[in-house]
Each structure stands twice: as structure tokens, then as C-alpha cells.
Amino acid sequence: MADNVRLIGRTDVNDLEAILSITNTDVDAVVHEVKADYDSIFTWDYAKGARPKLNRLYERAKTSMWNGETDLAWETPVDQEAVVLANAANTGGLDQGMDLRGTPFEKWSDKEWIELGVEGQNWTLSQFMHGEQGALICTARIVENVPWIDAKYYAATQVMDEARHVEVFSRYLDTKLSGHYPINAHLRLLLDDIIADSRWDMTYLGMQIMVEGLALAAFGFIHVLTTEPLLKQLLRYVMSDEARHVAFGVLSLQDYYKELSQAELLERQEFAFEAAVRMRDRFLQQEVFERMGLPLKEVLDLVVRSPERVMFQQMLFSKIVPNCKKLGLLDAGDGWLRKRFGELGVIQFEDWADTGEEYEMFQLANGETAALA
Ligand SMILES: [Fe+2]
Ligand SMILES: [Fe+2]
């Protein structure tokens, strides 16, 4: 489809070779610059609470701050190999019970599977950390370019939240895990696109709705599955913030999108689709298999077809699809995005709860230390 080439650079969304051809060439660089040209907006309308739902979110955020240095049980020892084994015992074994005859995994012993699991942890937490920095930068931008005072106030609290998230993921990687990965090329492409767009609502759509919607689902998934108590606690704390962030996106864009023309909405639909594909591609973890010295295409052909992977990838969209529906993006025009989400196999989530109010449910109870449970 011509649209696909323009939006994601390939005709077939599932073209594995095209996906794998996207890599970073500057992995040793310490900084990465993205050019952006946008308006910084002052408002002289200081009426606090003109948007009551955003005001409520802001008030909630002020009483929900936590301290990454002192609130998490950093003294917890983490034995990565033991964690891989314990997690595997909960989820169908190291090889997930798959028939691996005739594949590169055929002769693998526990040793290689454990190594893959350890690398998988290093990769996953590294990508979370990089994504959190993306959120930090995008939300600082929103403080500047959103036109409403209630949204500026709220975004300022989110900037603090994101600093804390980058800090705790970074500390977990440095002190509990055994290696870092550079940012995944698909994730970087997406963050660059979000940041390069000058329209204020695109920052929200890309970050709060798409990236953070996916992060909230991914954190929830891992929070339930992991047997490592410190990571469980860390994710519980981060999720309590993340649910507010996604709500911020939904509550801010909901009315604004009602005013947009069909053509303007189509641009938002296309952007949501591009973001969805980039995020799906990033979860292939191609850098992990590369580091393990495995034949990429052959291995990923197998990985994309494993039932667990298919389920995991779909679950990642369980927040995004209902939120896009709430914003009117699924069915605008001739339902362009509905068709696209159908092709990606994620449309079944459209009637799941949207995240406009869900943040109340994710609140840490008074005095709760996100108990190690
Ligand atoms: Fe975050
Ligand atoms: Fe966030």
C-alpha cells in the first residue's frame, strides 16, 4: 500500500527484512540531537480549574510524589540467573515448551537459555530507561506549548515524575543488572518523529497516548509476571504515575479532537498507526539476538510466530486502542485507523476500559509501600 511506504517505509507491515534493516549506526555517541521548531505559548488566562478534570489530576499528582532514592528497597539483592529460572518456572519453562527441532535453538542447554533471559532483562530495562527520557523531554515540551494553564500545571508535575522514572530505571540497571543496551532503532525513530513535530497535540498523541499507553500495559504485564521483588515494587510505583500520564493525554485531547477537520484527524490517525508499528517492531528485541550471535532473520521468523509473543504483543495495545477510540480516532473519516488496527490484530481491545479515569485505581494506598508482593 502506498500509505505504508509513506508512513513506515515499507509496503508490508510484517516485512521482517525491512524491519531488521533499521539499525542505529551511532551507538557510541553520548548525545543525540533532534531539531524542532515549535511555538512556546504564554497564556494570560490564569483561571485555575477551568478544566476541572485536569485540575483534579494536578491536585492528585501533588500528593502522589515518591522518592526513588528512599522509597524503594534498594538493599534487595538481585540474582539475575535465579530470576530467569524463577520467571520461567511460572511461564512454561525456559523454552516455553516449543518444538525447536531444526532451529538454531535445537541444541541449547539451560546455560544458553539463561544467558538469553539475562540479556533480555538488560535489554528490556534499558529500553524502558530510554523511553522514560523520551517522556521527560516530551513533557517538558508540553509545559511550553500547551495553551491552557491547568495543562501546564499538570505537565510540570509529570516532568518531575519522568525524572524520577529515568533515575530509578538507570539505578536498577547500574546496580542490579549486568549490562546496558543502546536505544532500539525503532523506538528512537518514533521518539524523533514525536519531538520533530511542531504541533502541540502530536506530542501528547505520540507520548501520552501511544508510548505511555504501551508502557502502562507493558509495566503491568511484567509487574504481574516477574518474581523479582524490587522490580515488582519499582514498577508498581512507576505505574501509579504512568496511569495519570495516560489520563492526561486522554483528558487533554478529548475535546480538542472534536474541533478538528476530517483531514486533520486523518493526520492524527496516520501518526497513531506509525507509532503503533514502530512500537511493535521494537519489541522484537533484535539487538538481544544479535548480541547472542544468532541468525537474526531465522530466529525472528520463529519468535514472531510463538503464541506467547503474539499474545504479549497484542496485550501491549490493550490501553492504546480504547484510548484512541475515546478520542474519536478509530472511526474518524472512513474508519481508517480501525482498519489498520484490525490488520495489526489489536482491534479486539476497542471496548476495554479507557484510561481517562483509571489512574484512581492505580493510586498507591496511603502508607502503602507497594508491598513486596
Ligand atoms: Fe514515565
Ligand atoms: Fe510517564
Side-chain angles (χ1 to χ4, degrees), residues 158 162 212 242 245:
Q158 186 178 335
E162 303 302 359
E212 298 193 287
E242 236 34 271
H245 305 168

Side-chain angles (χ1 to χ4, degrees), residues 6 8 28 37 71-72 78 144 169 192 220 238 263 290 303 305 358 362:
R6 177 170 54 86
I8 56 170
D28 296 322
D37 176 19
D71 287 335
L72 299 181
V78 177
E144 286 189 65
F169 280 116
D192 286 2
V238 172
E290 220 160 45
V303 168
R305 279 183 280 118
E358 204 184 22
F362 280 95

Side-chain angles (χ1 to χ4, degrees), residues 132 135 139 158 161-162 165 207-208 212 241-242 245-246:
E132 293 291 355
T139 311
Q158 186 178 335
D161 291 349
E162 303 302 359
H165 298 174
M207 182 47 65
Q208 271 74 7
E212 298 193 287
D241 296 337
E242 236 34 271
H245 305 168
V246 185

